[in-house]
Amino acid sequence: MAEPGLRLRGQEVRIVVLQNGSTVSEINSITMMDTNTDLVIQEDGFLGEVVNRYDTILNGYGGNFELHVTTADYIALEKAAVEKAQRLVPGTVFNVVRVDLFADGTSNIHTFTNVAWGPIPENIAGRAAFVKVKLSFKCSEKATQTSAIL
């Protein structure tokens, strides 16, 4: 078992959203991120066989993250996502990059390539609550580099 102090914590994770290779906006107040590898179990039954056959299919990757609104910069990301969806800016490519910085000095860089954005809800829970924005995405490809140099 790993030493308790060497486990990866949220403070060692950075998230960057790129549009056509450039940072869309400086987002430094991310409160939560979930990512997933969308594997599906395929079950087939055939006549003459007493047991079904199983296979695994990769349906892509995805994730979502929440951020506290600290500046008006996040609206640039929303605007760019809408423009891509409306085909106003042809050829736009978004990548979501998650960087894990481990205590032993190693790192993992996960790049979600050419993501498609889902709904972008804003939440204002109350007078004293921070305004939150949630972004969700899906993509077909993800690359991971281990011990990469930042």
Side-chain angles (χ1 to χ4, degrees):
M1 186 166 132
E3 295 179 43
L6 296 181
R7 294 175 289 176
L8 185 65
R9 296 176 52 169
Q11 68 188 22
E12 287 98 24
V13 176
R14 289 187 5 216
I15 301 169
V16 180
V17 179
L18 303 172
Q19 177 185 6
N20 300 327
S22 300
T23 302
V24 176
S25 61
E26 210 47 55
I27 301 173
N28 59 6
S29 56
I30 294 170
T31 61
M32 178 281 298
M33 181 178 200
D34 291 320
T35 60
N36 63 67
T37 302
D38 191 4
L39 296 174
V40 176
I41 297 174
Q42 178 70 38
E43 180 179 358
D44 291 312
F46 296 97
L47 297 175
E49 294 184 1
V50 296
V51 176
N52 286 345
R53 296 182 190 181
Y54 297 92
D55 202 354
T56 303
I57 298 171
L58 175 63
N59 276 345
Y61 305 90
N64 61 68
F65 55 93
E66 286 184 359
L67 59 104
H68 283 168
V69 176
T70 57
T71 68
D73 288 347
Y74 88 93
I75 206 73
L77 174 57
E78 180 182 13
K79 181 180 178 198
V82 170
E83 287 174 349
K84 178 182 178 180
Q86 294 176 330
R87 308 288 194 262
L88 297 176
V89 183
T92 297
V93 174
F94 287 101
N95 294 336
V96 175
V97 180
R98 188 184 95 207
V99 181
D100 302 334
L101 303 169
F102 295 95
D104 65 358
T106 60
S107 63
N108 286 336
I109 299 177
H110 310 274
T111 303
F112 298 86
T113 307
N114 196 13
V115 303
W117 296 105
I120 304 175
E122 296 176 10
N123 178 279
I124 306 167
R127 208 172 61 117
F130 294 109
V131 176
K132 283 187 178 183
V133 175
K134 185 173 185 176
L135 296 113
S136 59
F137 63 90
K138 291 205 60 106
C139 65
S140 300
E141 296 181 27
K142 173 185 147 189
T144 300
Q145 295 175 292
T146 302
S147 292
I149 298 174
L150 304 175

